[in-house]
Amino acid sequence: MKILSIQSAVAYGHVGNSAAVFPLQRIGVEVLPVYTVNFSNHTGYGAWRGPLIAPDDVRAVITGIEERGVLGQIDAVLSGYQGSEGIGDVIIDAVSRVKAANPDAVYACDPVMGNAASGCFVAPAIPELLRERVVPVADIITPNQFELGYLTGTSPDTLESTLASVDAARAMGPRTVLVTSVERPDRPANTIEMLAVDDAGAWIVETPRLPMKANGSGDVTAALFTAHYLRSGEAETALRKTVSSVYDLLARTLESGERELQLIESQEFYADPREQFAVRHVR
């Protein structure tokens, strides 16, 4: 399997491609990383150094890959945080080029916009770009519950309303939706859920909620779910494997006391997910 991953990169820590690439490689996926920024560290520290990469330069890298004649071998394009409208245009163009070379390829988009705690934290033009132009060409999207509501103009909270919001998102274009953080008012205390929906049905899984914030965990989640879904063709299987790997990664990070994901130290959890959480068929 080959995945073209168009995301940010940092020298210190693990977000964007610096979070997604190694777990994919560890499960046997060939990754072609294309960087949209090259920062010293993620912006959550409040200070960082390094360049934003101009959209034309990102496009040039993709053109260079195309000139090697390998776009037809790519199984998926993966994207995360889109810092500008220009980068969005480059990603949409890359998806078009890859699908022209390989009609079976898919586009997996993590529509990063914000979360319930901090609200929308991207540039004002990005939500509209994602809603109007990017999500309609995606095959797989991996929003959190807040982003799902933002994309669809809904307010998902219960399981029923979240499923209805997923249906609205699927009507926009993508057939597979992973909701990475479902927080229902009637859920058991100190738990959180993930929900995966495709043409075959809907599945949900509950895990303990760990008392931490981990930059980059969404990037790992989107990457692993995409790869497992492509391999198995089953949302249930992809959900079960992804949740187990990400939970163990987060638990190890919490135990370490470090701020950054313990991505390398957790590598056995990607290669051999323990699958310790029950996945429930809800539709």
Side-chain angles (χ1 to χ4, degrees):
M1 185 187 299
K2 286 186 173 68
I3 292 180
L4 176 67
S5 183
I6 308 171
Q7 301 196 57
S8 60
V10 294
Y12 174 72
H14 301 289
V15 299
N17 267 335
S18 301
V21 170
F22 178 68
L24 288 173
Q25 291 172 330
R26 191 64 180 81
I27 63 172
V29 176
E30 182 74 34
V31 187
L32 287 70
V34 175
Y35 302 137
T36 56
V37 308
N38 188 13
F39 286 168
S40 55
N41 51 270
H42 68 69
T43 59
Y45 286 95
W48 64 94
R49 295 182 183 272
L52 290 163
I53 300 175
D56 285 346
D57 291 331
V58 178
R59 192 188 307 271
V61 172
I62 296 167
T63 298
I65 295 170
E66 184 177 35
E67 290 169 348
R68 302 287 72 77
V70 298
L71 291 193
Q73 301 171 21
I74 291 174
D75 300 288
V77 178
L78 174 65
S79 73
Y81 171 73
Q82 298 185 19
S84 70
E85 290 182 87
I87 292 297
D89 291 336
V90 171
I91 292 170
I92 293 168
D93 179 60
V95 170
S96 176
R97 292 200 227 178
V98 168
K99 290 195 170 190
N102 176 14
D104 293 328
V106 303
Y107 171 35
C109 171
D110 184 7
V112 178
M113 288 183 284
N115 55 59
S118 57
C120 195
F121 52 62
V122 297
I126 298 302
E128 182 178 355
L129 170 73
L130 289 168
R131 184 173 55 246
E132 301 300 327
R133 298 182 55 210
V134 178
V135 168
V137 301
D139 301 285
I140 300 169
I141 59 171
T142 59
N144 60 37
Q145 196 172 26
F146 170 85
E147 291 160 343
L148 175 66
Y150 212 103
L151 282 173
T152 58
T154 60
S155 301
D157 54 0
T158 65
L159 177 58
E160 292 73 19
S161 64
T162 302
L163 285 169
S165 296
V166 168
D167 289 342
R170 294 179 75 230
M172 297 167 66
R175 303 310 303 160
T176 303
V177 177
L178 174 70
V179 187
T180 58
S181 58
V182 177
E183 300 184 69
R184 296 188 284 155
D186 59 344
R187 72 188 189 279
N190 300 315
T191 64
I192 195 165
E193 295 169 310
M194 277 195 202
L195 173 72
V197 183
D198 67 359
D199 289 341
W203 292 265
I204 199 165
V205 58
E206 174 190 294
T207 71
R209 181 176 189 138
L210 297 171
M212 63 186 297
K213 175 185 177 182
N215 294 89
S217 58
D219 302 317
V220 176
T221 301
L224 289 176
F225 181 83
T226 298
H228 288 312
Y229 188 74
L230 289 177
R231 279 186 171 155
S232 67
E234 297 176 348
E236 177 186 8
T237 298
L239 178 63
R240 185 172 62 249
K241 290 179 179 292
T242 299
V243 165
S244 293
S245 294
V246 173
Y247 180 83
D248 283 340
L249 165 64
L250 292 175
R252 178 160 289 179
T253 300
L254 180 62
E255 291 167 6
S256 75
E258 297 290 334
R259 176 171 179 171
E260 295 290 343
L261 289 175
Q262 298 300 286
L263 195 80
I264 309 304
E265 297 82 351
S266 303
Q267 61 181 286
E268 73 270 21
F269 301 138
Y270 323 135
D272 187 24
R274 291 193 293 168
E275 302 184 33
Q276 69 265 42
F277 301 109
V279 176
R280 184 164 57 94
H281 189 200
V282 293
R283 191 172 69 187

